[in-house]
Amino acid sequence: MANNEDAFKKVVSHAKEYGFIFPSSEIYDGLGAVYDYGQLGTELKNNIKNYWWKSMVQYHENIVGIDSAIFMHPKIWKASGHVDAFNDPLIDNKDSKKRYRADVLIEDHIAKIEDKIKKEVEKAHKRFGDAFDRDQFVHTNARVLEHQAKIDEITKRYSQCMNDNDLVGLRQLILDLEIVCPISGTRNWTEVRQFNLMFATQMGSVSEGSDTIYLRPETAQGIFVNFLNVQKSGRMKIPFGIAQIGKAFRNEIVARQFIFRMREFEQMEMQFFVRPGEELKWFEYWKAERLKWHLALGIPADKYRYHDHEKLAHYANAATDIEFEFPFGFKELEGIHSRTDFDLSRHSEFSGKKLQYFDSELGENYTPYVIETSIGVDRTFLAVFSHALKDETLEDGSTRTLLSLPPVLAPYKAAILPLVKKDGLPEKAREIFDQLKHDFMLQYDEKDAIGRRYRRQDAIGTPFCITVDNDTLETNTVTVRERDTMQQERVAIDELDVYLHKRIKPIAIN
Ligand code: ATP
């Protein structure tokens, strides 16, 4: 595709045109950073959730899943630190009147310098061909070293400001880096202020007697406050995990980048409870394990990278992000955090209930430490969808739009297509549809020439097209066309079940 911006526009328009994602309340001109999933988007999203749930809960004997309420006692957010510290630093440009996250302005600036390094590397790679040694180049080339030194210096100042909550220093850094507003092009910035991201609402009848409650900004707290319930009722032994998928809400300052940053979104989180002192070992374990989960989808490894945090959240003693190369660059897709005993200790303190575990092997009581893995459903959607969407030129010069989704995530696993609308082919096709529909999401399509039907399925990511032709009636076989290679093979109708199951499975994990 022409460039990244065009590619991203194409992602947004394709998602809408084919019923994956619509802007929320569109007939009323939409609502900022809120989106609705359409008929195909819902299937893809459910498949992402199933893929995660299976690999976490079904494949691990010591992980169970829950579904806690979105409304929770307001004290929970005091205890968790969200009322006091779940803030983003915001800054306004006085000329354009546009609002930005101060930290994002700085991170974008760093990303631009990283881009320059990437370009130097690409240029050198072209020049030296196969003999090119990337490692040696980035450690010796003067220009690259200069860029890297700049990045290191900015990162150091930036982390210091964030850790010390130094808003004046943050603003000074923006001025020193000569960062301009992308709209007005000026450096006329306001002070930096903190902005709390939680949505508040009232529970109970109006005014007196009603309580301010918050829409949860993460699903994790629903797990912590149920720690004892699950541990006791499930007779769970440490180490063990509790998983949850659910909605979270954040009043994000800047609404942009489609479903990357939404105000209502969904998270898939797992809290893994371990012995104190063993948390860093488990942190490394989950860091590796979670990357494997992504790679099992078959997306190339160079689209992912770890980003270890310099600035740690108030509760963490180690943290890393798994970043994905979205059309707008590498950005966080998943966070893996070592949350210490912060949450359970705070909830013990605020609720007056002892949230501890008796370890019969050690013969002692302790507050477990926690490793969290936290991933956005919508960001995963955007990652797989944007990577899958391609315009392809075929050997005969014609073009097709292809959505090469991992088969396990594709909305429809197969399309059942009678070659023509006569000679008993539609009836046979319907029979096959009924035979397979209990196990697979299928689409039946008999309209238009077969070539056009194939293209329609390519564009919505259906991995297999099953065509019923005149031979089918005599031989009880069909043609199966594979989406990405467009290769066709003859398969017996009786074997379709096994054939599809085998090919839809992701690369084995765990
Ligand atoms: P960012 O730095 O991008 O704001 P974060 O560090 O605040 O993200 P976490 O609090 O670690 O994010 O949340 C865990 C995961 O939830 C993220 O990795 C992301 O996939 C998802 N997520 C967080 N905020 C949003 C949002 N506004 N829209 C969609 N997904 C989100």
Side-chain angles (χ1 to χ4, degrees):
M1 264 170 222
N3 64 40
N4 289 347
E5 213 170 295
D6 286 350
F8 190 40
K9 277 192 190 142
K10 169 101 198 216
V11 165
V12 177
S13 65
H14 193 86
K16 183 170 176 217
E17 185 182 344
Y18 287 89
F20 284 89
I21 297 170
F22 308 124
S24 157
S25 323
E26 197 189 6
I27 57 170
Y28 291 95
D29 294 333
L31 185 65
V34 186
Y35 290 89
D36 294 338
Y37 284 83
Q39 64 280 15
L40 292 192
T42 304
E43 294 298 332
L44 173 51
K45 197 176 180 210
N46 284 341
N47 291 341
I48 290 171
K49 291 195 266 186
N50 277 337
Y51 173 57
W52 184 87
W53 193 264
K54 265 194 176 171
S55 74
M56 284 299 192
V57 179
Q58 188 171 324
Y59 298 175
H60 288 94
E61 280 174 50
N62 59 347
I63 300 180
V64 290
I66 63 164
D67 185 12
S68 70
I70 289 173
F71 292 152
M72 289 192 271
H73 197 287
K75 261 199 195 164
I76 288 175
W77 304 110
K78 254 326 230 186
S80 69
H82 282 82
V83 171
D84 296 321
F86 195 56
N87 301 317
D88 274 341
L90 69 82
I91 190 167
D92 294 292
N93 182 272
K94 290 185 197 162
D95 298 318
S96 67
K97 309 264 183 287
K98 289 276 170 211
R99 180 157 285 181
Y100 298 92
R101 262 174 65 177
D103 55 333
V104 171
L105 284 180
I106 295 167
E107 278 168 17
D108 284 352
H109 186 83
I110 294 173
K112 274 190 201 143
I113 309 177
E114 278 174 348
D115 250 12
K116 285 186 189 162
I117 296 183
K118 204 171 150 195
K119 286 209 177 97
E120 293 288 344
V121 171
E122 279 164 11
K123 240 173 36 196
H125 197 169
K126 262 195 205 135
R127 193 152 18 105
F128 294 114
D130 285 347
F132 181 64
D133 181 338
R134 190 185 183 284
D135 249 20
Q136 195 194 350
F137 180 78
V138 296
H139 287 108
T140 52
N141 178 274
R143 256 193 303 253
V144 171
L145 289 176
E146 204 182 299
H147 289 317
Q148 191 55 50
K150 235 188 244 165
I151 292 176
D152 295 344
E153 192 200 318
I154 299 170
T155 308
K156 197 166 147 217
R157 265 182 79 183
Y158 168 54
S159 309
Q160 184 95 41
C161 292
M162 294 296 275
N163 281 329
D164 299 350
N165 201 10
D166 175 5
L167 302 182
V168 175
L170 214 52
R171 177 169 190 270
Q172 195 54 48
L173 184 56
I174 290 173
L175 294 179
D176 292 349
L177 295 174
E178 304 188 346
I179 294 175
V180 297
C181 163
I183 308 289
S184 66
T186 71
R187 283 181 250 152
N188 197 4
W189 296 109
T190 62
E191 301 302 307
V192 176
R193 281 173 298 143
Q194 290 289 24
F195 175 77
N196 193 289
L197 299 181
M198 283 198 295
F199 283 98
T201 186
Q202 303 294 315
M203 186 168 227
S205 55
V206 256
S207 64
E208 281 151 71
S210 71
D211 243 333
T212 296
I213 55 166
Y214 298 100
L215 296 187
R216 65 182 179 196
E218 60 175 28
T219 61
Q221 298 304 323
I223 295 178
F224 293 126
V225 297
N226 277 300
F227 166 74
L228 272 190
N229 282 338
V230 175
Q231 191 272 321
K232 291 204 179 319
S233 61
R235 292 179 299 121
M236 307 303 291
K237 278 210 155 68
I238 273 183
F240 75 90
I242 305 178
Q244 166 155 241
I245 298 177
K247 288 261 176 157
F249 304 83
R250 296 183 187 180
N251 198 1
E252 297 283 359
I253 295 169
V254 186
R256 56 179 181 152
Q257 291 167 331
F258 195 33
I259 57 168
F260 180 81
R261 193 174 297 290
M262 301 159 92
R263 296 202 166 104
E264 173 181 342
F265 59 101
E266 231 171 327
Q267 289 185 315
M268 306 187 280
E269 297 198 299
M270 193 275 298
Q271 310 295 327
F272 198 70
F273 300 91
V274 304
R275 280 182 185 163
E278 292 192 355
E279 71 275 11
L280 292 180
K281 176 185 90 180
W282 285 109
F283 173 74
E284 291 304 325
Y285 171 83
W286 281 110
K287 196 173 149 177
E289 209 52 25
R290 291 303 305 149
L291 185 60
K292 266 198 244 163
W293 181 86
H294 290 281
L295 296 178
L297 289 174
I299 295 174
D302 64 2
K303 299 290 284 182
Y304 298 89
R305 72 178 187 197
Y306 290 120
H307 173 237
D308 294 329
H309 284 208
E310 302 263 340
K311 173 196 186 283
L312 294 175
H314 55 277
Y315 50 75
N317 73 353
T320 198
D321 296 337
I322 294 177
E323 295 187 336
F324 183 79
E325 192 174 17
F326 290 97
F328 38 84
F330 272 101
K331 294 272 183 226
E332 172 176 345
L333 171 59
E334 170 158 12
I336 297 134
H337 310 123
S338 173
R339 290 179 82 124
T340 67
D341 60 352
F342 177 83
D343 301 271
L344 290 181
S345 299
R346 293 276 290 188
H347 287 306
S348 291
E349 192 189 312
F350 278 68
S351 67
K353 310 275 179 337
K354 214 162 151 196
L355 302 181
Q356 288 204 327
Y357 172 79
F358 178 72
D359 192 322
S360 55
E361 269 173 46
L362 298 180
E364 59 180 72
N365 263 312
Y366 55 75
T367 306
Y369 272 49
V370 172
I371 306 302
E372 161 183 87
T373 72
S374 173
I375 177 170
V377 177
D378 316 271
R379 279 192 198 176
T380 309
F381 189 114
L382 184 57
V384 295
F385 192 88
S386 60
H387 176 72
L389 187 63
K390 308 173 180 87
D391 277 332
E392 242 188 26
T393 305
L394 306 177
E395 271 172 21
D396 64 3
S398 64
T399 57
R400 68 165 175 164
T401 300
L402 174 66
L403 191 64
S404 62
L405 292 170
V408 67
L409 302 184
Y412 294 113
K413 303 307 180 205
I416 315 286
L417 315 171
L419 189 60
V420 289
K421 251 196 284 187
K422 54 180 187 188
D423 303 336
L425 300 191
E427 290 75 11
K428 189 71 189 168
R430 290 273 182 208
E431 231 176 72
I432 297 172
F433 188 97
D434 286 340
Q435 172 195 325
L436 297 174
K437 74 180 179 193
H438 302 284
D439 286 329
F440 305 101
M441 264 307 277
L442 304 172
Q443 194 168 56
Y444 176 86
D445 189 6
E446 59 180 24
K447 197 165 173 286
D448 297 325
I450 193 74
R452 286 189 57 182
R453 281 184 272 165
Y454 284 156
R455 291 289 176 274
R456 276 205 290 270
Q457 297 303 327
D458 289 343
I460 61 171
T462 309
F464 300 102
C465 284
I466 297 173
T467 307
V468 175
D469 55 26
N470 286 316
D471 286 349
T472 302
L473 302 180
E474 279 155 36
T475 60
N476 259 327
T477 60
V478 287
T479 303
V480 180
R481 170 190 180 270
E482 203 270 331
R483 177 194 64 201
D484 297 351
T485 60
M486 295 189 292
Q487 272 172 6
Q488 309 196 357
E489 61 179 317
R490 228 40 222 181
V491 178
I493 292 174
D494 288 348
E495 284 164 18
L496 277 174
D497 225 338
V498 177
Y499 178 95
L500 289 177
H501 270 302
K502 223 159 84 193
R503 288 175 170 242
I504 285 161
K505 253 212 227 147
I507 302 163
I509 34 176
N510 298 315

